[in-house]
Amino acid sequence: MSNTTVPPTAITPDKSNMTRKRRLMKTVYRQRWYYVMLLPGVLYFIIYHYLPMGGAMIAFKDYNLMKGIWGSPWAGFKHFETIFSTPEISRTIKNTLILSVYRIVFGMFPDVIFAIILNEIRVQWFKRTVQTISYGPHFLSWVIVYALAFAFMAPGSGLINNWITQGGGQAIDFLTAKEYFRTILISTDLWKSTGYGAIIYLASLSAIDPHLYEASVVDGASRWRQIWHITLPGIRNVFIVLLIIRIGHIMDAGFEQVYIFLNARVYETGDIIDTWVFRRGLENLEFSLATAVGLFKGAIGLILVIGANKLAKRVSGSGIW
């Protein structure tokens, strides 16, 4: 009787698969404590970010509190049609985009400049003092910031208006004037967030190889040349990543700040998508409409992040992924 042999190709895939599985299990076991430390963060995103996405279906329903999500009747794209047929929506989208672009342009560059200035300070006690003072406003609530702004710009008792009236001028109601509203928002945001926003850039600056600066000194480079050719390229990738993240949130113009500073007289320049949704969704109990706006904003943000990441990789060779 002739002996039959099994071709090697018939058993090799199974063996290779078993080998890969064993290697994977060994790797997971060796790094098990890293996975344990990762677990709370993963659970947080699953519970508070991914599971609630199931409620997004009410954007396609006429949601009723008594009937619940599953009992409410389907409405199709009715609420999306309502969004784009509402007269105020074009104004709120415009205001949202303008404020978001202002925050990117006037919010990111001061962070970089302030971080570079702090990095150039050689007196350590003075550097730490400036850092501590500049970080402080970040931990104040917007309610307190508004109270401070009111103390300076109130028409009757504000410090700035007292200076104006003492100089022979007429008091200006800054907080209810639409031509000043965006300037006040961006200015208070800069005061509150610049110091804290510089932390990431300071961390990336500390990772730059000091030998590069030493070599540049030997070559006779001035401090300005060192900043231009070493410091700025060293934080370029961090700047690009933060820029992409901010572009992804371009439809979020800072609800908390805007809502606290907002009043009926500045709706034309200050009413954004989130404040409009708050009035329609919570005050008028139009939950389906509010959810539809949220889906619309999420879709726009996803498109912008993907587009910005591709553009960044094409221009600079680096991106988020």
Side-chain angles (χ1 to χ4, degrees):
M1 185 175 61
S2 60
N3 295 328
T4 58
T5 58
V6 180
T9 55
I11 58 175
T12 300
D14 292 338
K15 287 185 176 180
S16 62
N17 289 336
M18 290 298 296
T19 302
R20 281 196 295 267
K21 289 180 180 179
R22 288 172 181 172
R23 289 177 180 174
L24 177 62
M25 294 303 295
K26 289 180 179 179
T27 303
V28 171
Y29 181 77
R30 285 198 304 268
Q31 301 177 355
R32 61 190 181 279
W33 297 117
Y34 293 106
Y35 290 106
V36 171
M37 289 188 290
L38 183 65
L39 185 61
V42 173
L43 290 176
Y44 167 80
F45 279 98
I46 291 175
I47 296 172
Y48 294 104
H49 289 269
Y50 287 98
L51 290 180
M53 290 176 66
M57 70 173 64
I58 69 174
F60 305 95
K61 290 189 170 190
D62 283 325
Y63 179 66
N64 187 293
L65 283 172
M66 301 304 296
K67 295 180 180 179
I69 295 177
W70 302 107
S72 300
W74 290 96
F77 292 95
K78 167 187 171 182
H79 302 294
F80 292 93
E81 294 174 358
T82 302
I83 293 171
F84 295 106
S85 63
T86 303
E88 300 91 0
I89 195 64
S90 59
R91 180 192 67 193
T92 57
I93 291 176
K94 175 185 174 182
N95 292 338
T96 301
L97 293 176
I98 290 175
L99 285 174
S100 294
V101 171
Y102 281 174
R103 289 180 191 277
I104 292 174
V105 175
F106 298 107
M108 294 193 67
F109 292 104
D111 294 352
V112 175
I113 294 171
F114 186 64
I116 293 175
I117 292 174
L118 287 177
N119 189 61
E120 293 297 316
I121 296 176
R122 295 294 176 261
V123 182
Q124 292 301 314
W125 68 265
F126 180 72
K127 179 179 180 179
R128 289 193 295 268
T129 302
V130 172
Q131 284 181 286
T132 303
I133 295 174
S134 64
Y135 295 166
H138 172 77
F139 300 98
L140 299 177
S141 70
W142 280 114
V143 175
I144 296 176
V145 175
Y146 178 80
L148 293 173
F150 186 84
F152 277 91
M153 292 178 282
S157 58
L159 182 61
I160 295 177
N161 275 312
N162 284 337
W163 292 341
I164 293 175
T165 53
Q166 289 173 7
Q170 186 176 1
I172 302 173
D173 196 351
F174 292 102
L175 297 174
T176 58
K178 61 183 180 180
E179 58 268 23
Y180 295 110
F181 186 73
R182 291 171 182 165
T183 303
I184 292 172
L185 287 182
I186 301 304
S187 300
T188 52
D189 183 66
L190 283 176
W191 176 77
K192 188 175 187 294
S193 61
T194 298
Y196 193 80
I199 292 177
I200 298 177
Y201 295 108
L202 284 171
S204 61
L205 287 172
S206 65
I208 298 176
D209 189 354
H211 293 94
L212 295 175
Y213 292 103
E214 296 173 2
S216 65
V217 171
V218 173
D219 292 337
S222 63
R223 295 302 300 177
W224 288 108
R225 287 291 182 181
Q226 293 176 33
I227 292 173
W228 184 259
H229 294 287
I230 300 175
T231 304
L232 291 179
I235 62 176
R236 181 185 60 186
N237 291 340
V238 175
F239 181 85
I240 290 174
V241 170
L242 294 179
L243 176 61
I244 293 173
I245 293 174
R246 288 211 178 193
I247 290 176
H249 290 277
I250 202 168
M251 300 301 287
D252 299 318
F255 167 75
E256 184 179 358
Q257 181 195 15
V258 176
Y259 183 74
I260 291 173
F261 279 79
L262 192 65
N263 58 77
R265 296 181 62 180
V266 296
Y267 274 1
E268 184 178 344
T269 57
D271 193 22
I272 60 174
I273 294 177
D274 288 342
T275 53
W276 180 79
V277 168
F278 183 84
R279 293 196 303 273
R280 295 290 298 267
L282 294 182
E283 294 180 359
N284 297 341
L285 301 181
E286 298 181 51
F287 298 111
S288 295
L289 182 66
T291 306
V293 175
L295 284 177
F296 168 71
K297 288 173 53 181
I300 297 298
L302 177 62
I303 293 172
L304 289 175
V305 166
I306 294 174
N309 187 71
K310 287 185 177 180
L311 181 61
K313 292 181 72 174
R314 182 173 299 178
V315 174
S316 64
S318 63
I320 296 180
W321 67 86

